[in-house]
């Protein structure tokens, strides 16, 4: 089941990216790195200077708060890039959610690839702004609805949506408790918006209604 899940997400969620040969010197393209579930890809405070693309699997980006709580700022699926930093160090932790393959991209010294990196940076900024709107203006059921609509869009817009992350991950991303997330999933199921295929897979039966609920 796990192999089916990761391959399915990889097939559906890829978005157009600059081809590596157009951006990087061939000698700087690193071999694929494999990370088991829960493995750290990089830590907050570590030196930056490269960025990453998910080949398969999924990644969570998070920060530990002063009181020990975890705040997840982003999830990245197959085909998506992450790790771009404005400074020289990472401001967040990156961790594999499940068995994940990562490609590391290094930039050749003196290379000007700003035109290629700008669309990636702007896309990340837009997603971060949308996430802030969800956290700041919506109640629990609206936050979960917005999350499911976004996950469906990133996986090709099909009715069946894989959720590689746990309910706790979703709660830490949306600023909700795991109990609240579980209650909202049950409520959406009772309203006929979604069907719970398994713990990590749902089917959206009323996509327009779910999208309207999230807006």
């Amino acid at each position: 089941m796990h192999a089916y899940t990761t391959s399915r997400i990889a097939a559906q969620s890829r978005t157009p990216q600059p081809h590596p040969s157009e951006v990087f010197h061939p000698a700087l393209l690193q071999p694929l790195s494999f990370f088991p579930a829960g493995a750290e890809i990089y830590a907050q405070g570590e030196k930056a200077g490269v960025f990453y693309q998910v080949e398969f699997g999924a990644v969570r980006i998070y920060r530990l708060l002063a009181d020990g709580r975890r705040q997840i700022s982003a999830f990245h699926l197959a085909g998506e890039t992450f790790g771009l930093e404005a400074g020289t160090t990472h401001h967040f932790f990156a961790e594999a959610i499940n068995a994940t393959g990562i490609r590391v991209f290094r930039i050749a010294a003196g290379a000007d690839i700003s035109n290629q990196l700008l669309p990636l940076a702007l896309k990340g900024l837009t997603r971060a702004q949308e996430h802030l709107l969800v956290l700041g203006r919506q109640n629990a059921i609206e936050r979960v609805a917005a999350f499911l609509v976004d996950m469906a869009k990133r996986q090709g817009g099909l009715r069946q949506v894989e959720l590689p992350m746990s309910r706790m991950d979703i709660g830490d991303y949306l600023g909700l408790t795991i109990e609240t997330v579980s209650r909202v999933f049950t409520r959406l199921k009772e309203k006929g918006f979604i069907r719970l295929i398994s713990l990590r897979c749902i089917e959206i039966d009323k996509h327009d209604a779910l999208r309207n609920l999230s807006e």
Side-chain angles (χ1 to χ4, degrees):
M1 179 65 183
H2 174 72
Y4 166 81
T5 298
T6 54
S7 62
R8 186 171 182 271
I9 292 176
Q12 292 182 5
S13 64
R14 289 189 177 274
T15 55
Q17 302 284 353
H19 193 278
S21 63
E22 299 174 356
V23 180
F24 303 97
H25 189 283
L28 300 177
L29 295 179
Q30 305 299 300
L32 190 66
S33 298
F34 298 91
F35 295 86
E40 184 178 278
I41 299 168
Y42 59 75
Q44 180 181 339
E46 285 187 356
K47 183 179 179 180
V50 301
F51 71 99
Y52 309 81
Q53 185 173 48
V54 183
E55 293 291 323
F56 63 84
V59 172
R60 55 181 161 246
I61 307 297
Y62 70 94
R63 176 176 287 182
L64 294 176
L65 305 180
D67 59 4
R69 290 179 299 153
R70 182 185 65 166
Q71 176 64 60
I72 294 178
S73 64
F75 296 112
H76 295 287
L77 308 179
E80 298 178 352
T81 57
F82 65 98
L84 288 172
E85 297 283 357
T88 59
T89 59
H90 288 295
H91 294 80
F92 295 86
F93 292 88
E95 190 174 83
I97 295 175
N98 48 22
T100 300
I102 299 293
R103 186 80 64 181
V104 180
F105 294 153
R106 299 185 184 277
I107 303 172
D112 181 7
I113 59 170
S114 55
N115 289 338
Q116 292 90 344
L117 292 182
L118 181 59
L120 301 179
L122 291 177
K123 184 175 182 179
L125 177 61
T126 299
R127 183 163 289 163
Q129 291 172 330
E130 291 174 346
H131 184 210
L132 287 175
L133 290 175
V134 169
L135 294 180
R137 300 183 182 179
Q138 296 177 312
N139 60 35
I141 193 167
E142 292 168 343
R143 292 184 192 185
V144 173
F147 171 75
L148 295 179
V149 169
D150 178 59
M151 288 295 293
K153 179 180 179 181
R154 292 162 66 183
Q155 294 184 40
L158 299 181
R159 292 179 59 186
Q160 191 164 307
V161 180
E162 299 290 347
L163 302 175
M165 64 289 295
S166 67
R167 299 291 191 266
M168 182 176 291
D169 282 344
I170 296 172
D172 287 349
Y173 179 67
L174 297 177
L176 303 171
T177 65
I178 184 174
E179 294 82 8
T180 298
V181 172
S182 297
R183 284 197 298 269
V184 170
F185 269 82
T186 299
R187 185 175 176 185
L188 291 174
K189 174 187 175 183
E190 291 172 347
K191 287 179 173 291
F193 287 12
I194 65 172
R195 287 195 299 143
L196 303 179
I197 306 301
S198 69
L199 188 62
R200 300 296 175 91
C201 181
I202 67 162
E203 187 166 286
I204 299 178
D205 288 333
K206 298 180 179 179
H207 190 277
D208 289 343
L210 194 67
R211 186 180 65 250
N212 291 338
L213 185 60
S214 69
E215 295 176 346

